[in-house]
Amino acid sequence: MTDSDQRGPRLRGVPELWDVARGVAIVLIPVIAALSVVSLQISVPTRVWLSAVAVGGLIGFLVIWRHYGILASLRQWLRSRTDGAEPERAPSTRDPIHDLSDGPGTTSDLASEITRLFQRLEERRNDVVSKLVTQEQVLESLPAPVLILDERGRVEQANAAAQRALGDVAVGREVSTVLRHPDVLEAVDAVREDETRTEVEIALMGQTMLVRVERVPRGDDQPPGAVLLLEDLTEIRRVGQMRVDFVANVSHELRTPLTTLIGFIETLRGPAKDDSDARERFLEVMDVQSRRMARLVNDLLSLSQIETKEHKPPSEIVPLAEVIEEVVTTLEIEAHRKRMRIQVEMDTELPQIVGDTDQLSQIVQNLLENAVKYGGADTTVEIAVAVDEDPPPAYPARDQVAIGLSVSDRGEGIGREHLPRLTERFYRVDTDRSRALGGTGLGLAIVKHIVSRHRGSLSVESSVGVGSTFTVHLPSTRTVM
Ligand code: ADP
């Protein structure tokens, strides 16, 4: 590649002949004037006259042709840029008429400086444009809605998230028509007057939004604009409220047995000190209450352990038949007490389940415990395990064959209105009854979390006075054909 190729196409402007002729005339006028003055003193032969004019004219022509040529090249180059014609290659560090340079202070030197200045301005412009493009891309990709307002409080820019959150936000709209909230408008006014930044919390279309308003200076004499950044606090507030409710519920659950224990301890130390009958009765109640607290603490611990593991998929091959058998054995004594029978029906050719054995055991334990607790005396509780070709829509692992595990009882059943809330922590249909039966109100919440970790689903069918069936669908290792 030659040097001139690297610099880009060379521009060679051709000067206007009329300009050159005028220049030559300007050069010749002093020559002719000088000769005229000299010829007044001494006679100058015509030959000398003509030769002097010809030599002067030629020199003038060459010099002027060259200078006008440089100026014409410069004009042509500048015009090619200002007319919007893109240069064929990136601006070179050397200007296109560099080779014409005669040295400092000459026309070509001046032309070189002008082209260099122009090129530097072009580079700066390209930098600014690319920065603006990057900023625009960043703004567009932000998940939070952002509005940029001009100095008159009209929308200058609204990113994609703002369009989604606030509807169609056209450029040029007054902010008051986009966010009709007096607190927001007040904050925008405050920022445009003297505040640097401010924030307000507002309710917007059923959501809690934090609106941060920031002042954007626009040159010395211009009034400032503003940037509005919206943050959706709905989920944070909901989780915060859940935490407060949870702590209140736990305290409430612990307070009753604790108060009972403290009361009985005081009585045993005082009035019933020497009453052995009362001591036996009180110790019995204290035993029940402390066990209740222990169960509550155990359930709370299980729940928190399950939550920590919730996003880590389980990896053991679970021996489901053994797990069910073990749980049934532990609950048989309680079932016998109510003259209940526990019947297990399980397909022999079940595909394998990858899961957490302890957690799946806990699911069976909680569901069976409830069935025994809330099922009627002299009835049968049925556990059925089989492949379900048609799992409910809530079952998420659609590409894996589902195994349905259901626990049915003939008991009091549950009213339809309670069904959607059964898996909430501490939700009970009948709180006193649940407590009397030793319930903590956390059993089904634990089941729900374990099922979700296993990518399964939980469903309930129940009729008041008839009984309930709780079914868990878990993905097996077999894929759906
Ligand atoms: P609890 O410790 O109170 O049993 P759970 O979370 O296990 O807590 O169950 C929540 C509520 O759902 C229970 O208090 C009870 O009212 C109702 N429930 C659960 N299983 C059954 C069932 N098999 N039959 C009737 N009601 C049930």
Side-chain angles (χ1 to χ4, degrees):
M1 201 184 277
T2 66
D3 192 33
S4 93
D5 281 344
Q6 281 173 347
R7 282 196 308 274
R10 275 272 300 277
L11 293 169
R12 280 262 183 226
V14 180
E16 294 279 332
L17 265 179
W18 167 245
D19 287 342
V20 178
R22 204 176 42 195
V24 172
I26 290 167
V27 170
L28 280 182
I29 285 167
V31 173
I32 294 168
L35 281 173
S36 306
V37 172
V38 170
S39 55
L40 286 178
Q41 306 298 319
I42 52 166
S43 85
V44 180
T46 315
R47 203 165 21 91
V48 175
W49 252 85
L50 289 177
S51 310
V53 170
V55 170
L58 184 65
I59 292 171
F61 176 80
L62 288 175
V63 170
I64 284 158
W65 177 267
R66 180 166 176 72
H67 282 273
Y68 274 106
I70 291 165
L71 290 177
S73 301
L74 177 65
R75 191 172 57 224
Q76 189 186 338
W77 186 81
L78 289 176
R79 201 169 280 162
S80 74
R81 298 300 168 95
T82 50
D83 284 352
E86 285 299 317
E88 282 171 32
R89 33 193 98 195
S92 138
T93 46
R94 295 175 70 188
D95 60 82
I97 49 179
H98 174 88
D99 286 355
L100 303 176
S101 181
D102 297 335
T106 60
T107 315
S108 61
D109 183 42
L110 184 65
S112 287
E113 287 306 319
I114 292 172
T115 54
R116 253 202 296 275
L117 175 71
F118 204 89
Q119 280 173 327
R120 228 166 285 142
L121 288 176
E122 241 175 15
E123 279 165 19
R124 290 259 289 276
R125 190 203 63 177
N126 289 344
D127 273 0
V128 171
V129 168
S130 81
K131 270 186 194 141
L132 280 176
V133 169
T134 313
Q135 277 174 13
E136 191 136 321
Q137 281 167 349
V138 170
L139 192 66
E140 278 303 304
S141 60
L142 278 182
V146 179
L147 291 177
I148 299 179
L149 306 184
D150 67 12
E151 65 284 357
R152 281 188 277 180
R154 289 182 311 200
V155 176
E156 198 171 71
Q157 223 176 323
N159 69 353
Q163 302 285 359
R164 279 196 300 274
L166 306 170
D168 201 10
V169 186
V171 168
R173 270 179 70 177
E174 288 285 339
V175 65
S176 53
T177 65
V178 179
L179 270 167
R180 291 169 210 264
H181 200 290
D183 291 354
V184 175
L185 305 182
E186 210 171 285
V188 171
D189 286 344
V191 158
R192 285 172 52 211
E193 272 156 29
D194 48 9
E195 299 262 355
T196 327
R197 68 179 63 87
T198 180
E199 51 185 48
V200 284
E201 202 176 301
I202 58 165
L204 189 76
M205 293 178 278
Q207 289 171 312
T208 309
M209 288 277 187
L210 179 73
V211 185
R212 291 180 212 278
V213 189
E214 194 119 353
R215 185 190 181 93
V216 180
R218 311 223 161 196
D220 292 342
D221 305 328
Q222 299 247 50
V227 174
L228 273 69
L229 180 87
L230 281 73
E231 195 184 330
D232 190 350
L233 299 183
T234 318
E235 189 56 20
I236 297 172
R237 292 280 180 271
R238 197 183 64 80
V239 172
Q241 189 54 47
M242 268 174 64
R243 200 170 296 149
V244 170
D245 292 348
F246 182 68
V247 172
N249 277 326
V250 172
S251 320
H252 182 73
E253 291 293 327
L254 285 172
R255 199 168 47 209
T256 318
L258 268 178
T259 315
T260 313
L261 283 179
I262 293 167
F264 281 142
I265 290 169
E266 276 171 11
T267 317
L268 284 174
R269 278 185 172 155
K273 205 171 177 182
D274 303 316
D275 184 342
S276 59
D277 283 352
R279 190 167 55 228
E280 275 313 304
R281 271 186 288 115
F282 290 169
L283 282 175
E284 179 63 32
V285 178
M286 287 164 76
D287 182 51
V288 170
Q289 295 300 341
S290 45
R291 281 175 198 279
R292 185 174 148 197
M293 283 199 297
R295 263 197 311 277
L296 182 67
V297 171
N298 280 341
D299 277 359
L300 286 171
L301 277 176
S302 300
L303 203 53
S304 104
Q305 276 166 6
I306 294 160
E307 277 181 333
T308 9
K309 285 193 198 162
E310 197 155 350
H311 299 290
K312 192 169 162 254
S315 55
E316 299 159 20
I317 299 286
V318 180
L320 200 54
E322 281 171 39
V323 166
I324 293 175
E325 207 180 291
E326 263 174 37
V327 176
V328 170
T329 310
T330 57
L331 285 170
E332 231 145 27
I333 301 167
E334 185 57 36
H336 276 138
R337 214 175 282 160
K338 285 179 79 180
R339 297 177 311 282
M340 291 172 102
R341 242 167 45 83
I342 301 174
Q343 186 180 305
V344 182
E345 263 179 50
M346 191 162 174
D347 275 2
T348 41
E349 293 293 304
L350 277 180
Q352 285 180 322
I353 289 187
V354 173
D356 180 317
T357 306
D358 288 344
Q359 288 192 346
L360 291 189
S361 166
Q362 193 156 13
I363 289 185
V364 181
Q365 167 93 22
N366 290 6
L367 294 182
L368 195 56
E369 217 170 55
N370 279 352
V372 172
K373 245 180 351 192
Y374 302 107
D378 296 309
T379 59
T380 301
V381 171
E382 284 162 24
I383 302 179
V385 189
V387 165
D388 189 345
E389 304 288 353
D390 186 22
Y395 172 73
R398 306 309 300 185
D399 49 342
Q400 278 162 287
V401 171
I403 293 182
L405 184 157
S406 60
V407 179
S408 311
D409 64 71
R410 312 268 171 279
E412 56 203 60
I414 306 162
R416 177 176 281 274
E417 69 281 13
H418 297 291
L419 295 183
R421 299 194 59 191
L422 284 186
T423 55
E424 283 176 24
R425 290 159 198 207
F426 299 112
Y427 187 83
R428 288 130 154 164
V429 175
D430 178 343
T431 307
D432 291 340
R433 183 156 159 63
S434 154
R435 284 200 186 130
L437 294 170
T440 59
L442 293 172
L444 292 179
I446 291 174
V447 170
K448 188 185 95 171
H449 280 280
I450 298 177
V451 166
S452 135
R453 184 183 172 215
H454 284 74
R455 290 178 66 229
S457 64
L458 170 69
S459 49
V460 192
E461 279 171 36
S462 189
S463 306
V464 176
V466 179
S468 315
T469 299
F470 285 77
T471 307
V472 167
H473 282 90
L474 297 166
S476 70
T477 48
R478 191 191 296 162
T479 47
V480 174
M481 296 294 172

